[in-house]
Amino acid sequence: MRVAVAGCCHGELDKIYETLALAERRGPGPIDLLLCCGDFQAVRNEADLRCMAVPPKYRHMQTFYRYYSGEKKAPVLTIFIGGNHEASNHLQELPYGGWVAPNIYYLGLAGIIKYRGVRIGGISGIFKSHDYRKGHFECPPYNSATIRSIYHVRNIEVYKLKQLKQPMDIFLSHDWPRSIYHYGNKKQLLKAKSFFRQEVENNTLGSPAASELLEHLKPTYWFSAHLHVKFAALMQHQVIEIDHDSSAPDYLEYDIEWLTILRATNNLINVTGRLWNMPEDNGLHARWDYSATEEAMNEVLEKLNHDLKVPCNFSVTAACYDPSKPQTQMQLVHRINPQTTEFCTKLGITDINVSLQKAKEEHQLCGEYEEQDEGDSNDSGEDPSEYNTDTSALSSVNPDEIMLDEEEEEEDSFVSAHSDTNATSVEPSSDQASDFSASFSDVRILPGSMLVSFDDTSGSLVGREGKLGEPVELGDGKDLTEVPLKRLSDEHEPEQRKKIKRRNQAIYAAVDDDAAA
């Protein structure tokens, strides 16, 4: 099975599918599946654009709406996760995953599905420790805080994924697993992106939660995006050959182990902004192991009448953008998606959005942080979570970053890479460093297929057949591995560093530049 992998899509579906068509013409056969690692931007209309965490001047409709409206249909089955630049109100309708358009499937906050016997998992969003232990309390209309916190990874999703025991073939995340840079051409990475150096040296680049998942799941392939740089464990576009079960059906299937874990952990759903920890074997919880037993999986199979096929039940839930009739004042509505309703009813679990709406009816503020001290907000009575260290302030300034808080500055103001390197940064105390090293495992064990420790090699990348040094080509004759892309790094809190604005952000420009496909 030929699988194409894309990094940050930024709504450019037309260009992506055109590139795949070119790869098919030049390759050994058709592409069976497209995987996208976030920043998909499933924008349906002007209201969705307002829910995307970028400054207004970067909010462009792009081409997804044509697939949502039915004007076009994705030529290849597409599976994606969310990143940190999304139409968050749209994706929030599908917390457990679902179709955002015909033949385009979202994995949800976290999810596992199967296609032709290949097990594919993913987790949406990026890691931020100050939101990690909160519930999913955000809903539209978002404020200046929740428009960002909505896409921050939560401990409940990581906890569910760490209940998995069966082997994983492919896993997707938006931000990199922390420490992954130790397993590729680190020297070349730092040459290309010198502003990563401090984070690499401090071992703070990437997501510690993703590192925990990488160590636990050990998938055959792990794909990430977010940093907009080619690396041995990451490519912006590639086509690889994946072994699959030729007798498996040619449609998406639910994963029975994952469904069983969702059902078992249903009572752990939290829709408040209070901090909390997941159950542990520490004497404070009656249950802490939610892994799927054979008996529990059989019960779920019976409940689903042994039918694991993902239904093709896409439905339009919001008005689609009409270029001839712009609606800049379109109202934001917190919607219940019929796909999620059907899924939750079948499985006997709670729709997070229904819980949020009930909370609103009970006069609890939606989209507001609950003001309380972190030390007093631990509902479980446990010690503070192991995920309590935010190393954002350690990060050096990235000159290619789009800041989410616009300021009244000169339009062409920028900070050069040279001034970046010399920027003042906050150094951690020895206590913080000690806490952090004890908190997150420094991942040093990777599946054999992912071991690529070659600090001094030329940095050749996986090509179209999964072999080194065979890049896919673009229509203009350039290799896909040569396409220059800019990085959108983790958004650091405004008070922690100087805000920067960049004028030349090609990834959000409306210019039709084929070389940026």
Side-chain angles (χ1 to χ4, degrees):
M1 181 169 71
R2 300 189 75 216
V3 179
V5 183
C8 300
C9 300
H10 296 293
E12 294 280 13
L13 290 189
D14 281 356
K15 290 185 177 180
I16 289 173
Y17 292 133
E18 287 167 9
T19 302
L20 293 186
L22 177 64
E24 286 184 335
R25 292 195 296 271
R26 297 186 175 184
I31 291 170
D32 303 289
L33 178 66
L34 170 64
L35 303 176
C36 300
C37 301
D39 283 0
F40 189 79
Q41 296 181 6
V43 177
R44 303 165 294 185
N45 52 44
E46 293 91 338
D48 287 2
L49 273 180
R50 300 203 305 273
C51 295
M52 196 167 71
V54 297
K57 65 179 178 180
Y58 296 121
R59 292 173 183 162
H60 301 295
M61 194 60 63
Q62 305 297 9
T63 57
F64 169 79
Y65 75 92
R66 294 172 178 161
Y67 298 84
Y68 180 78
S69 68
E71 176 187 342
K72 293 187 174 184
K73 182 178 179 179
V76 58
L77 176 61
T78 302
I79 298 172
F80 75 98
I81 57 169
N84 60 313
H85 297 100
E86 302 288 359
S88 296
N89 60 320
H90 185 190
L91 299 190
Q92 186 170 359
E93 296 178 16
L94 301 166
Y96 302 108
W99 303 101
V100 298
N103 222 29
I104 303 177
Y105 190 84
Y106 169 52
L107 278 178
L109 295 168
I112 313 291
I113 49 88
K114 287 184 177 179
Y115 181 63
R116 294 187 177 180
V118 177
R119 198 177 195 209
I120 303 164
I123 185 167
S124 293
I126 62 171
F127 177 84
K128 278 290 182 181
S129 67
H130 55 264
D131 289 324
Y132 184 73
R133 290 191 291 142
K134 294 177 181 177
H136 292 289
F137 65 95
E138 305 92 342
C139 67
Y142 306 114
N143 61 31
S144 60
T146 58
I147 197 172
R148 288 198 256 174
S149 66
I150 181 68
Y151 56 71
H152 290 162
V153 170
R154 306 297 158 91
N155 57 359
I156 180 64
E157 271 69 54
V158 175
Y159 184 77
K160 290 175 184 177
L161 289 165
K162 290 182 73 172
Q163 305 303 308
L164 293 165
K165 306 295 183 186
Q166 297 174 8
M168 185 71 60
D169 297 309
I170 300 173
F171 198 85
L172 311 177
S173 69
H174 188 57
D175 44 2
W176 293 18
R178 184 160 296 176
S179 300
I180 194 66
Y181 32 83
H182 294 308
Y183 298 92
N185 191 339
K186 186 163 54 179
K187 201 173 278 187
Q188 180 143 340
L189 171 67
L190 295 178
K191 183 179 179 181
K193 299 286 183 178
S194 60
F195 41 81
F196 289 173
R197 183 172 299 280
Q198 185 181 4
E199 293 166 291
V200 169
E201 291 174 352
N202 289 321
N203 200 34
T204 59
L205 179 65
S207 165
S211 291
E212 294 290 333
L213 289 174
L214 174 58
E215 184 179 33
H216 176 79
L217 298 172
K218 295 181 173 64
T220 306
Y221 295 91
W222 182 297
F223 299 108
S224 300
H226 190 46
L227 299 186
H228 287 237
V229 61
K230 298 183 292 293
F231 193 60
L234 165 70
M235 290 182 63
Q236 296 303 327
H237 300 266
Q238 64 181 352
V239 180
I240 57 176
E241 291 286 350
I242 300 286
D243 291 334
H244 69 285
D245 183 355
S246 57
S247 64
D250 188 18
Y251 51 74
L252 282 185
E253 293 182 286
Y254 291 122
D255 182 87
I256 187 59
E257 184 187 18
W258 179 245
L259 295 184
T260 305
I261 291 169
L262 287 180
R263 194 161 185 254
T265 57
N266 185 57
N267 65 326
L268 299 180
I269 287 177
N270 175 17
V271 294
T272 75
R274 293 192 297 271
L275 305 177
W276 66 318
N277 294 331
M278 293 295 100
E280 296 180 71
D281 183 9
N282 57 5
L284 297 176
H285 301 277
R287 183 178 182 183
W288 57 89
D289 183 358
Y290 289 85
S291 56
T293 64
E294 286 295 329
E295 180 181 2
M297 287 190 284
N298 286 332
E299 287 180 6
V300 173
L301 273 174
E302 290 290 334
K303 192 171 185 65
L304 299 179
N305 296 319
H306 293 263
D307 181 11
L308 293 176
K309 181 179 180 179
V310 175
C312 295
N313 57 351
F314 165 74
S315 62
V316 172
T317 57
C320 190
Y321 171 68
D322 184 347
S324 65
K325 300 176 182 178
Q327 300 183 46
T328 56
Q329 302 303 316
M330 184 176 290
Q331 186 179 2
L332 278 170
V333 179
H334 182 203
R335 292 183 170 86
I336 302 298
N337 193 297
Q339 291 184 69
T340 303
T341 300
E342 180 180 340
F343 177 81
C344 291
T345 301
K346 281 183 178 179
L347 200 56
I349 62 175
T350 304
D351 182 350
I352 294 172
N353 292 297
V354 171
S355 297
L356 277 168
Q357 290 195 354
K358 287 181 179 178
K360 285 193 292 185
E361 292 169 3
E362 295 168 1
H363 309 291
Q364 295 184 11
L365 291 177
C366 180
E368 299 275 343
Y369 284 103
E370 297 187 24
E371 297 294 335
Q372 55 182 318
D373 182 74
E374 182 170 342
D376 297 331
S377 61
N378 186 357
D379 294 342
S380 66
E382 301 174 87
D383 293 332
S385 167
E386 71 275 21
Y387 294 93
N388 62 352
T389 305
D390 193 343
T391 57
S392 299
L394 297 177
S395 177
S396 55
V397 178
N398 176 3
D400 291 323
E401 181 177 11
I402 293 176
M403 301 305 294
L404 301 186
D405 293 326
E406 274 205 302
E407 291 193 344
E408 297 300 322
E409 300 174 346
E410 288 295 321
E411 188 65 17
D412 58 351
S413 62
F414 68 94
V415 175
S416 68
H418 175 73
S419 62
D420 228 10
T421 319
N422 299 314
T424 303
S425 63
V426 179
E427 293 296 332
S429 67
S430 57
D431 291 340
Q432 287 176 322
S434 173
D435 289 345
F436 190 83
S437 61
S439 299
F440 302 116
S441 28
D442 183 10
V443 180
R444 298 288 176 181
I445 302 174
L446 293 179
S449 63
M450 295 181 69
L451 289 178
V452 287
S453 299
F454 53 150
D455 242 8
D456 299 308
T457 60
S458 61
S460 59
L461 298 170
V462 179
R464 62 170 64 104
E465 304 302 332
K467 299 175 183 177
L468 294 179
E470 296 182 4
V472 181
E473 294 182 354
L474 286 170
D476 57 5
K478 296 181 179 179
D479 289 342
L480 282 170
T481 54
E482 295 174 354
V483 177
L485 290 170
K486 293 182 180 292
R487 176 199 174 199
L488 292 174
S489 72
D490 298 351
E491 320 122 357
H492 304 301
E493 294 306 298
E495 65 273 17
Q496 291 176 332
R497 73 181 212 187
K498 179 181 178 182
K499 296 180 179 65
I500 305 164
K501 287 175 62 180
R502 295 278 290 178
R503 178 175 59 184
N504 299 320
Q505 294 293 344
I507 53 174
Y508 285 108
V511 178
D512 185 15
D513 182 0
D514 291 337

